[in-house]
Amino acid sequence: MGKSIADLKLVHDPATIIASLRAELVEARGVASSAEILREYVGTATLAVNELQLPKWVHEPKATKSPGVPKIMLSDLHWGEQVRPEQIGGVNSYNLAIARQRLRSVIETVISLCKILDPSMKYPGIVCPLGGDMVSGNIHDELATSNELNTMPTVLDLYRNLVPAIRLLADTFGHVFLPCVSGNHDRDTKKIWSKDRNHTSFGWLLYQFLVAAFAEDKRVTFYIPDGSDALYRIFNTRYLLTHGDQFRGGDGIIGPLGPVTRGEQKKNTRNAAVGQDYDIMEFGHFHKRMLTARLRGNGSLKGYDEYAADSNFGFEPPSQNFWITHVDHGITFDAPVYCDAIKRSRKTDWVSISK
Amino acid sequence: MSKPIKKGNRLNDLRAIHDRNVVIPNRIRAAIATLLASGDEWIYELDFLKLSKPPIGCVDISKFRDGFVDYWAEMPSVNGKATMRRVWFATTKACLDWKENIGG
């Protein structure tokens, strides 16, 4: 088709150009409005500088004798990735079937632990941060060729497993609050983007699917900020959830503790300057359970892998962090939830000394 | 039908080959015809020059453009730059419409 006078008007007729720009402005306003609707839909429209109006149960426990609010952090699931035991000395194995088992085991163990802590289960609810790296993603050549599934079917498979997991938590605890952030493995871009990080993330897409799945279920609340950090509060303890990929460096002795501590300092200074202080930063990314007064580093569902073995990182069994936030004391009970089923160990005395 | 008898080289034939006052306007007419045949209603002058084989030179078009004022128009600047661009139209109607409505 040839160049018409209409085409010429688009580039040289001031009136046509102005009309076109006006139409673009209307469309842009529409998109901005859609984004607002979307935020409203996912429950983050009322954010005052990124802070969500939390469900009431988080602030006021319905029973003062409750041990507090339990929390199970789910991060670094790397759903779809395969770890071959023969390549890492047989210490771990991971694929979709194992991932499904481990996720189920984590949820069942959390319920079991909570029943031990309070047999009457008078918890006001449970918090379940989804901390990113939910899927393996085709972000490196080796992952693209070795993942069990491509990213989109992986997202669907994870969705099908997370929905019953969250529903079981809601049925058991009454309420579930899920702050969600994206991880570096979730990305759909060559490098992670600072702009539109979430809108280029399969993790974010998964969270939106979950929001839709629980749209009618008032017991389940999601908090999906547009940025990389989620700031929320349980009673009087302020948490900042982030994936942790912003912290780089470290050495062979202290591992990621140095960069994470430095990064946390910077983040806290940044947040304090704009009235978004927090007490504890929770993160994943390093697949290392790391606990200090201000840090809660999560393990991973995937566990030890070829990269960790090649880099001579210390072995750590797959685990996810569980803890209780008490209304007065803050964090009290703190335990790793090991993802694999308990293996029968050889019989030993409950306590002994070396002979 | 009888074949026309060649009467030998005429003066007009010589002008058509060597007189720039005839050669360049002919090339411009040929370029307009090519533009019309292409289906495009307009073209920027720099591209228009190449529609003729051999192409029309920039100096030549500047000398003979005024003989075809009903085929081209100057485009108003819309980006604040001083650079002015000329557009050639396939038909005088399109050109006159443009000049009446846009005022180029």
Side-chain angles (χ1 to χ4, degrees):
Chain A
M1 195 161 167
K3 290 190 279 188
S4 67
I5 296 296
D7 299 330
L8 186 62
K9 282 184 176 174
L10 278 177
V11 282
H12 285 293
D13 176 18
T16 310
I17 292 167
I18 290 167
S20 162
L21 289 174
R22 278 191 178 142
E24 278 178 27
L25 182 63
V26 169
E27 191 181 343
R29 282 182 178 151
V31 169
S33 173
S34 302
E36 192 62 28
I37 289 166
L38 184 63
R39 278 197 289 274
E40 206 164 83
Y41 181 62
V42 298
T44 57
T46 53
L47 283 182
V49 208
N50 225 19
E51 193 164 7
L52 182 73
Q53 204 64 32
L54 292 177
K56 203 176 175 185
W57 60 265
V58 180
H59 288 296
E60 297 168 15
K62 60 187 176 189
T64 50
K65 286 185 179 176
S66 162
V69 174
K71 179 193 285 195
I72 176 65
M73 180 164 175
L74 295 178
S75 78
D76 302 275
L77 274 56
H78 289 257
W79 211 263
E81 187 172 335
Q82 294 192 94
V83 176
R84 296 188 173 88
E86 61 273 18
Q87 295 183 14
I88 52 170
V91 295
N92 187 31
S93 178
Y94 195 63
N95 53 38
L96 276 175
I98 294 171
R100 292 176 195 129
Q101 279 173 8
R102 285 183 182 172
L103 179 62
R104 186 169 186 153
S105 170
V106 166
I107 299 299
E108 286 172 351
T109 307
V110 166
I111 294 170
S112 173
L113 284 173
C114 286
K115 279 182 180 166
I116 293 169
L117 289 170
D118 181 7
S120 61
M121 294 291 276
K122 286 181 182 170
Y123 298 102
I126 187 167
V127 175
C128 181
L130 302 180
D133 278 5
M134 307 306 282
V135 295
S136 175
N138 292 338
I139 62 167
H140 305 307
D141 289 343
E142 58 180 330
L143 290 176
T145 54
S146 65
N147 281 340
E148 200 167 346
L149 287 175
N150 262 313
T151 310
M152 290 187 199
T154 303
V155 169
L156 286 178
D157 190 79
L158 178 53
Y159 167 79
R160 289 189 189 112
N161 284 272
L162 275 177
V163 167
I166 295 168
R167 191 165 289 137
L168 178 58
L169 290 176
D171 291 343
T172 309
F173 293 94
H175 294 94
V176 190
F177 176 61
L178 300 107
C180 307
V181 294
S182 59
N184 55 313
H185 273 259
D186 301 327
R187 71 182 186 261
D188 184 31
T189 47
K190 192 174 178 185
K191 287 185 175 178
I192 197 122
W193 285 9
S194 296
K195 290 183 191 294
D196 275 344
R197 173 188 170 115
N198 286 349
H199 293 178
T200 52
S201 164
F202 284 106
W204 183 86
L205 186 66
L206 169 74
Y207 305 149
Q208 299 305 325
F209 284 162
L210 293 172
V211 168
F214 290 97
E216 302 299 320
D217 194 337
K218 300 294 177 202
R219 303 171 302 168
V220 181
T221 310
F222 289 87
Y223 170 34
I224 310 169
D226 283 344
S228 57
D229 299 346
L231 198 62
Y232 64 100
R233 184 190 291 256
I234 301 178
F235 299 135
N236 298 311
T237 307
R238 298 163 301 177
Y239 289 98
L240 181 125
L241 169 68
T242 190
H243 177 63
D245 55 298
Q246 299 161 345
F247 313 128
R248 297 190 181 94
D251 61 46
I253 305 300
I254 61 168
L257 189 59
V260 168
T261 307
R262 280 192 297 274
E264 191 277 327
Q265 286 276 356
K266 286 167 74 179
K267 211 177 255 298
N268 205 19
T269 306
R270 179 200 72 181
N271 277 31
V274 290
Q276 297 178 29
D277 311 48
Y278 58 87
D279 302 308
I280 290 157
M281 183 179 85
E282 51 193 4
F283 58 95
H285 186 62
F286 297 101
H287 301 191
K288 189 171 180 62
R289 182 170 151 80
M290 213 184 311
L291 308 182
T292 71
R294 295 186 55 82
L295 299 175
R296 282 291 176 283
N298 200 22
S300 71
L301 199 78
K302 176 179 72 164
Y304 204 69
D305 65 1
E306 293 88 345
Y307 173 74
D310 257 12
S311 309
N312 299 309
F313 295 157
F315 174 77
E316 196 168 298
S319 72
Q320 299 283 272
N321 283 354
F322 167 81
W323 69 88
I324 300 273
T325 306
H326 189 265
V327 63
D328 296 319
H329 304 302
I331 293 179
T332 50
F333 300 99
D334 209 333
V337 173
Y338 293 110
C339 308
D340 279 327
I342 298 168
K343 288 173 188 162
R344 187 179 293 270
S345 51
R346 65 189 174 89
K347 195 173 178 183
T348 54
D349 296 328
W350 78 272
V351 62
S352 60
I353 56 170
S354 55
K355 292 169 185 172
Chain B
M1 195 173 152
S2 62
K3 214 174 176 182
I5 300 161
K6 186 168 167 45
K7 294 177 182 172
N9 288 336
R10 318 304 293 179
L11 205 54
N12 282 347
D13 298 332
L14 185 63
R15 283 200 184 113
I17 300 168
H18 289 291
D19 183 356
R20 298 195 77 77
N21 292 324
V22 177
V23 171
I24 303 304
N26 281 346
R27 284 188 194 167
I28 294 174
R29 283 185 205 100
I32 292 171
T34 307
L35 175 61
L36 185 62
S38 73
D40 287 348
E41 289 184 298
W42 59 275
I43 191 169
Y44 286 115
E45 188 172 84
L46 274 177
D47 298 320
F48 174 77
L49 301 181
K50 297 171 197 162
L51 290 182
S52 160
K53 301 279 187 260
I56 306 162
C58 292
V59 177
D60 290 336
I61 195 74
S62 67
K63 283 180 183 168
F64 293 96
R65 189 189 290 126
D66 287 345
F68 298 85
V69 285
D70 289 346
Y71 279 97
W72 58 268
E74 290 178 351
M75 294 297 113
S77 172
V78 290
N79 56 5
K81 291 181 182 172
T83 314
M84 181 268 298
R85 301 183 80 178
R86 287 188 192 86
V87 163
W88 285 73
F89 294 89
T91 62
T92 52
K93 183 181 179 303
C95 181
L96 294 176
D97 281 353
W98 177 268
K99 285 177 178 173
E100 276 176 23
N101 294 323
I102 314 299

